[in-house]
Amino acid sequence: MERRPIRVLHVEDNEFFATVASDILQQELDDVEVHTENAPSDALNRLKEEQFDCVVSDYEMPEMNGLELLDAVREIRSELPFILMTGGGSENTASRAISAGVTDYLQKGDGRRQFVALANRIENAVSHRRAEKAVRRQITINDLIWDVSQSLLEASTREDIEQSVCERLADSQSYLFAWVGKVEDGQIAPRFSAGTEAGYLDAVFHTDAEESESKPISRALKPDDPISRAVETGEIQTTQDIAGDGFSKAAISDETDADCNGIGTDCTKERQETVRTGEPEASDSSLEHWREKALERGYHSKAAIPLRYEDSLYGVLNVYADHPHAFDETERQVLSKFGNSMAYAINSVRTRQELIRREQRLQVFNRILRHNLRNDLNVVLGHADNIKEAVPKTTENAEIIKRKATELIDISEKAREVGKTLDRSGQTGKAVEITSIIERACSDLQESYPNVVLSTELPDTAWVYGDKTLDTVVNEVVENAIEHNDRDEPVVTLSVAAMDSERESGVEIIISDNGPGIPKEEQLVLIEGRETALQHGSGLGLWLTNWVVGKFDGELTFGTNEPRGSVVTIRLRRAESPSK
């Protein structure tokens, strides 16, 4: 787990005591930096310029005593741990120190033991302060990321997503600046930014005024650049202390909390990888250049978050904080997951836009095809009649042409009617009486197929949700059962039954026949909802039936009729009679 150094500001006018304290503290604590000031005023000036984790102060000093220094420190950093040391054992001093709000109180003594105790007090106070601060920040970050994530649901374009994310992050108290960069052909180019920018991107991407005027804002990715590493590894990269002599990167794998059921748990520590610390390569001045420009604007730590969904990289989100080590383990994981969510949102928007364009193309093609098909087939019918009259010997062939042309016109009209239904908004439909629809369909089909035995078992009335395209559904299924029947005397039976369960109530229309049955291949095409070169539907009938039934939240299923034949069941939602 990453551990950042403890920076202690020691205020002590006794130089010998200060030197001994600094030496022993550095021996007792693994990673501590002790900065000593002999005068309280110098300490306060330094505190205004630098970040410290703890103040250790003597009580008796020139200019002001330790408690007076405490008051001055609280005006600069209200929650900074403050440990007071005094050479006297006055209970009154101790009481005043506790009342004034010191973090801890320690008496000076002889020997090493006092400094060991001081080291323990410092470590405990800083750990407690960091933990409190981390919890508060994480609550703020979680609320912020939730709020930003909700905005992704409202975005309709990629530009909306990127702009909204940058603006919301930068408007928060957690980050000063945010920008999204597009990665293409080894180049990174900013797309959107928000916050305390003050020309940062232009200054970082261009090294002189002429270049900024002549070139668009973009630059090549450098091998040791955090953005480059984020792109290469697909993992969040952080520069925890831009002002420090070195910088660190923390990589979080995609598997980080797969087994943890949450973030910030101990099991993530083993997967946390702290990769190099130290100075950037001297040969690449661009890294020093961006650090310099960042510090000028108050950026002290940075995170580069790759926006990757599956195999697509949609860029890198960069956020900057106003203090070092802002991105702890939990925050990195939250931002990493947010990067994935943002990339998913961008991918969803692109997919939705592509579907809209595809639907528009299909509507145009469909309209042109239906119009041309209907007109041209009417021409074919006219010529078939002319041929039939002019050349009596071709009567049989002319009739075949007319029949096939008429069938194609019927298919075109059927597709147009069902297409209009599928294009209507909403899915509930209206209350439709299904018994009369079935009786009407059977009457028409009986005239067209007099050798077929059509029988029905119907209630007086049965109301379902639908519209007039249910006429087409019933006709298609019954006609399919008739035309594909290989018996000399086809038998088709229709029945309607109520269906009740705890979850829903509905109506089942059951059509059974004594034919060869619907081939499994045909059924699979409808169940899987797609066609292939080796497996396709033989016509529009069952496709249209399936689409229309689905439009009204219904279901189309297939079964076997014993001893021979098929059973097609149409389930529709039951509706109340309008007269009730």
Side-chain angles (χ1 to χ4, degrees):
M1 182 177 179
E2 180 186 354
R3 177 185 173 89
R4 66 181 191 264
I6 296 174
R7 302 191 79 239
V8 177
L9 178 59
H10 188 195
V11 190
E12 173 61 63
D13 60 329
N14 186 319
E15 293 187 8
F16 175 76
F17 189 88
T19 301
V20 174
S22 177
D23 291 342
I24 297 178
L25 287 176
Q26 293 184 68
Q27 294 172 18
E28 291 296 321
L29 297 174
D30 293 333
D31 199 359
V32 66
E33 300 173 4
V34 181
H35 302 270
T36 303
E37 293 292 347
N38 301 121
S41 58
D42 293 337
L44 292 173
N45 289 333
R46 189 164 190 173
L47 187 62
K48 294 175 182 177
E49 300 294 330
E50 300 180 34
Q51 297 284 336
F52 288 95
D53 297 295
C54 181
V55 173
V56 176
S57 174
D58 189 16
Y59 179 74
E60 295 290 347
M61 295 181 296
E63 299 182 5
M64 63 179 72
N65 63 34
L67 295 182
E68 291 171 336
L69 177 62
L70 171 63
D71 291 337
V73 167
R74 288 286 182 257
E75 291 181 3
I76 301 172
R77 298 275 303 280
S78 61
E79 297 182 355
L80 188 67
F82 190 101
I83 299 176
L84 184 67
M85 298 192 71
T86 178
S90 169
E91 292 183 1
N92 181 48
T93 302
S95 177
R96 288 171 56 203
I98 293 172
S99 298
V102 295
T103 308
D104 214 331
Y105 175 87
L106 193 66
Q107 291 185 14
K108 288 183 178 179
D110 296 328
R112 182 186 180 88
R113 181 178 299 177
Q114 63 179 319
F115 300 110
V116 174
L118 177 60
N120 289 332
R121 305 284 180 91
I122 291 172
E123 187 168 38
N124 290 338
V126 172
S127 297
H128 183 71
R129 168 71 184 118
R130 285 180 174 178
E132 285 184 338
K133 188 176 180 180
V135 168
R136 287 202 299 267
R137 178 176 174 85
Q138 198 54 56
I139 291 173
T140 301
I141 293 297
N142 289 344
D143 291 343
L144 171 63
I145 295 302
W146 170 259
D147 180 58
V148 178
S149 297
Q150 293 301 107
S151 72
L152 300 182
L153 303 176
E154 303 170 1
S156 58
T157 66
R158 176 176 180 174
E159 289 74 15
D160 289 343
I161 291 173
E162 294 174 339
Q163 183 174 1
S164 175
V165 167
C166 289
E167 289 177 350
R168 288 172 180 258
L169 292 179
D171 285 344
S172 71
Q173 296 181 350
S174 300
Y175 306 116
L176 283 178
F177 177 51
W179 65 279
V180 173
K182 178 182 179 182
V183 179
E184 191 171 29
D185 298 329
Q187 298 277 327
I188 177 76
R191 283 174 53 84
F192 287 95
S193 65
T196 309
E197 199 267 348
Y200 171 75
L201 293 175
D202 191 69
V204 168
F205 280 68
H206 296 142
T207 56
D208 56 56
E210 291 184 5
E211 190 178 45
S212 65
E213 293 178 0
S214 61
K215 292 184 178 180
I217 299 183
S218 66
R219 65 172 171 80
L221 291 171
K222 303 293 184 179
D224 214 20
D225 188 329
I227 296 177
S228 179
R229 294 197 302 269
V231 171
E232 180 181 353
T233 64
E235 298 165 344
I236 185 173
Q237 305 292 320
T238 58
T239 304
Q240 293 285 28
D241 187 4
I242 296 176
D245 292 333
F247 59 91
S248 66
K249 72 173 181 177
I252 299 178
S253 76
D254 291 337
E255 302 174 353
T256 294
D257 50 326
D259 302 320
C260 300
N261 295 322
I263 58 177
T265 55
D266 290 340
C267 63
T268 61
K269 297 178 183 178
E270 299 177 0
R271 299 175 184 175
Q272 175 67 36
E273 178 188 4
T274 300
V275 191
R276 191 177 67 79
T277 61
E279 288 195 24
E281 296 178 7
S283 60
D284 191 353
S285 61
S286 65
L287 293 177
E288 290 294 342
H289 178 65
W290 82 257
R291 291 173 62 187
E292 174 188 342
K293 298 302 180 183
L295 292 172
E296 288 177 2
R297 292 158 177 83
Y299 311 155
H300 286 274
S301 56
K302 170 194 173 181
I305 307 145
L307 306 178
R308 184 179 294 278
Y309 176 72
E310 294 183 343
D311 296 329
S312 298
L313 177 69
Y314 293 108
V316 179
L317 170 65
N318 301 270
V319 292
Y320 300 77
D322 62 358
H323 58 281
H325 300 278
F327 304 96
D328 66 8
E329 179 182 346
T330 303
E331 186 167 336
R332 289 193 295 267
Q333 292 187 46
V334 171
L335 289 174
S336 179
K337 290 180 178 296
F338 174 70
N340 294 337
S341 298
M342 184 175 171
Y344 174 78
I346 294 173
N347 182 79
S348 297
V349 165
R350 291 187 61 183
T351 302
R352 185 163 63 247
Q353 290 173 338
E354 179 57 33
L355 288 174
I356 291 173
R357 288 192 292 268
R358 186 178 301 177
E359 182 180 356
Q360 290 171 340
R361 292 195 296 267
L362 287 175
Q363 288 176 347
V364 172
F365 293 152
N366 190 28
R367 185 172 62 253
I368 294 174
L369 178 61
R370 286 202 307 260
H371 181 268
N372 291 354
L373 181 64
R374 186 167 58 251
N375 289 348
D376 291 347
L377 287 175
N378 282 324
V379 173
V380 170
L381 286 174
H383 283 283
D385 285 331
N386 293 337
I387 292 173
K388 180 180 176 181
E389 293 178 3
V391 186
K393 292 182 179 181
T394 62
T395 298
E396 184 177 350
N397 292 331
E399 288 295 336
I400 293 174
I401 293 173
K402 289 180 63 179
R403 186 173 71 252
K404 292 299 181 183
T406 301
E407 290 175 358
L408 288 174
I409 291 175
D410 290 342
I411 290 175
S412 175
E413 291 298 322
K414 188 185 304 178
R416 183 178 67 86
E417 190 62 38
V418 174
K420 286 166 58 179
T421 296
L422 298 179
D423 287 342
R424 293 191 190 110
S425 60
Q427 296 184 345
T428 58
K430 59 183 180 180
V432 175
E433 205 286 297
I434 197 66
T435 297
S436 59
I437 290 177
I438 294 174
E439 290 175 340
R440 186 166 55 250
C442 289
S443 176
D444 294 340
L445 289 169
Q446 190 69 76
E447 291 184 10
S448 302
Y449 302 95
N451 62 321
V452 175
V453 177
L454 277 174
S455 61
T456 59
E457 300 175 10
L458 306 175
D460 293 337
T461 59
W463 293 87
V464 298
Y465 284 107
D467 62 18
K468 64 180 181 180
T469 51
L470 290 180
D471 293 67
T472 303
V473 167
V474 174
N475 272 281
E476 283 298 332
V477 177
V478 176
E479 194 166 19
N480 184 75
I482 295 172
E483 290 190 344
H484 294 88
N485 200 309
D486 55 358
R487 293 295 185 94
D488 293 335
E489 187 178 74
V491 176
V492 179
T493 301
L494 292 88
S495 63
V496 172
M499 175 185 65
D500 290 300
S501 68
E502 294 181 358
R503 293 182 302 172
E504 60 179 347
S505 62
V507 172
E508 288 187 340
I509 306 168
I510 303 169
I511 300 102
S512 58
D513 63 67
N514 63 342
I518 299 174
K520 292 293 184 183
E521 294 80 8
E522 293 285 335
Q523 298 181 31
L524 285 175
V525 166
L526 292 170
I527 293 171
E528 295 179 2
R530 59 186 176 86
E531 297 196 1
T532 66
L534 298 178
Q535 182 178 343
H536 57 85
S538 59
L540 277 175
L542 290 179
W543 270 116
L544 297 180
T545 299
N546 197 29
W547 289 337
V548 172
V549 170
K551 172 74 175 180
F552 303 117
D553 291 335
E555 184 181 11
L556 182 69
T557 60
F558 304 94
T560 302
N561 189 26
E562 298 298 340
R564 186 177 189 268
S566 63
V567 177
V568 177
T569 301
I570 302 168
R571 296 186 179 93
L572 296 169
R573 292 189 302 127
R574 184 189 300 176
E576 293 293 333
S577 170
S579 60
K580 290 185 178 181

